[in-house]
Amino acid sequence: VYKIAYVLIVVLGAAISLQSAWTVANIMNALMAFPNLIAVLILSPKVVELTKDLFSDEPRLGIKQK
């Protein structure tokens, strides 16, 4: 499946204009970034909690400071 998709994309890339190729590339990058941004927003409270725990005087999650 990937080999067929690769060949089709190569042919498509050779047939379209440079501006269109860059537009498609930018759209694909945005589609990859979107789920990651959602995950960052969902996990940010946990990161704040772990960071506060790491820098507290008595870490409660078992993380030892050096």
Side-chain angles (χ1 to χ4, degrees):
V1 175
Y2 292 110
K3 289 181 183 180
I4 295 170
Y6 181 79
V7 170
L8 291 175
I9 290 172
V10 167
V11 171
L12 180 66
I16 63 175
S17 69
L18 182 61
Q19 180 63 38
S20 296
W22 276 108
T23 301
V24 169
N26 287 334
I27 290 170
M28 293 301 156
N29 280 328
L31 290 174
M32 288 188 300
F34 188 68
N36 289 311
L37 293 172
I38 292 171
V40 166
L41 291 174
I42 291 171
L43 291 173
S44 60
K46 187 67 173 174
V47 171
V48 170
E49 175 189 348
L50 290 172
T51 303
K52 286 180 181 178
D53 180 53
L54 178 65
F55 291 108
S56 69
D57 291 335
E58 294 182 24
R60 59 185 169 83
L61 295 176
I63 300 171
K64 303 287 184 189
Q65 289 183 341
K66 292 183 179 183

